[in-house]
Amino acid sequence: LSTSNKTAPTAVEHFPSFSDIELCAHWTICPRTSLNRRRSGKMPPHFLKGKQVRYLVSDIEEFERQSAIKAQA
């Protein structure tokens, strides 16, 4: 993972975001799958809020849109 995915400016915390658990529930995947995909770069960009992994809603929406485009091709 790149350093930019691990840390984020404080301003990012003011935007709507999902925790890893919330995203797993949304996608119906287990947290271990999320961890493995995150490590292999197959998840949306994330940041840490304390020790908690967070994903911006806008990044999740873009990731889902791009995934849908790839699936149709």
Side-chain angles (χ1 to χ4, degrees):
L1 296 171
S2 70
T3 309
S4 62
N5 279 351
K6 288 189 165 188
T7 60
T10 308
V12 171
E13 296 175 8
H14 299 292
F15 290 97
S17 63
F18 280 4
S19 71
D20 191 50
I21 298 300
E22 292 168 330
L23 184 59
C24 289
H26 176 69
W27 284 350
T28 59
I29 61 174
C30 75
R32 185 66 180 186
T33 300
S34 173
L35 174 64
N36 291 337
R37 289 180 183 175
R38 194 167 52 250
R39 286 180 175 168
S40 65
K42 297 178 182 175
M43 290 289 282
H46 65 280
F47 65 96
L48 295 177
K49 183 175 181 180
K51 292 185 178 183
Q52 187 180 44
V53 175
R54 305 289 301 182
Y55 302 89
L56 291 177
V57 171
S58 59
D59 289 339
I60 295 167
E61 291 170 343
E62 179 65 20
F63 185 84
E64 290 174 339
R65 188 178 69 75
Q66 290 297 323
S67 296
I69 290 170
K70 288 179 186 175
Q72 292 175 358

